[in-house]
Amino acid sequence: MQLSRLESFALEKLLQPLQRAELAAVQPSLQVLQRVQTSAGFYSIIQLPKGIAALPQNHELEWPFKLKRLKAKGYFVCWAESSATLCLEAVISKGVCPPELSLEQFA
């Protein structure tokens, strides 16, 4: 599967502080191996192209967010599951998670 607009948005926000140029450059070609809706958001496993290293082991990237109108807060978090895959998660930590997250909901 291709990245959703929301997954792309999350990765842009997460990778921006590190300026991980190689990951940002290949973002359009990243493949989603698994996407799961959870009661607090979603969880995705993303396959990286050959030759592109994942984040260093034990290294997490986190970006906090607010949702418009819902008075909900949460965060995106990303970490290396293996040398070739990333895990991306959206978690609503305060307030109610809508049935489906969309870009239009973010403040």
Side-chain angles (χ1 to χ4, degrees):
M1 293 178 275
Q2 288 189 306
L3 289 177
S4 69
R5 288 178 52 219
L6 186 56
E7 289 162 335
S8 290
F9 172 78
L11 286 175
E12 286 172 16
K13 295 297 184 184
L14 289 162
L15 297 175
Q16 190 175 23
L18 288 182
Q19 298 178 341
R20 300 269 309 179
E22 71 257 1
L23 274 177
V26 298
Q27 188 174 331
S29 64
L30 297 177
Q31 293 294 309
V32 178
L33 300 177
Q34 182 179 10
R35 182 181 295 133
V36 177
Q37 289 288 120
T38 67
S39 60
F42 70 84
Y43 176 88
S44 301
I45 299 176
I46 301 167
Q47 176 74 48
L48 299 172
K50 289 184 180 184
I52 301 296
L55 300 170
Q57 290 293 339
N58 301 323
H59 188 85
E60 286 186 356
L61 302 176
E62 189 174 307
W63 185 76
F65 61 76
K66 293 180 183 178
L67 297 180
K68 298 179 203 173
R69 297 187 209 131
L70 297 176
K71 297 183 181 178
K73 294 181 181 181
Y75 57 92
F76 292 118
V77 62
C78 182
W79 66 93
E81 180 187 53
S82 73
S83 62
T85 57
L86 291 176
C87 291
L88 172 65
E89 190 171 7
V91 178
I92 301 297
S93 56
K94 182 178 181 183
V96 177
C97 183
E100 188 172 324
L101 288 171
S102 68
L103 285 181
E104 294 74 24
Q105 295 167 329
F106 288 81

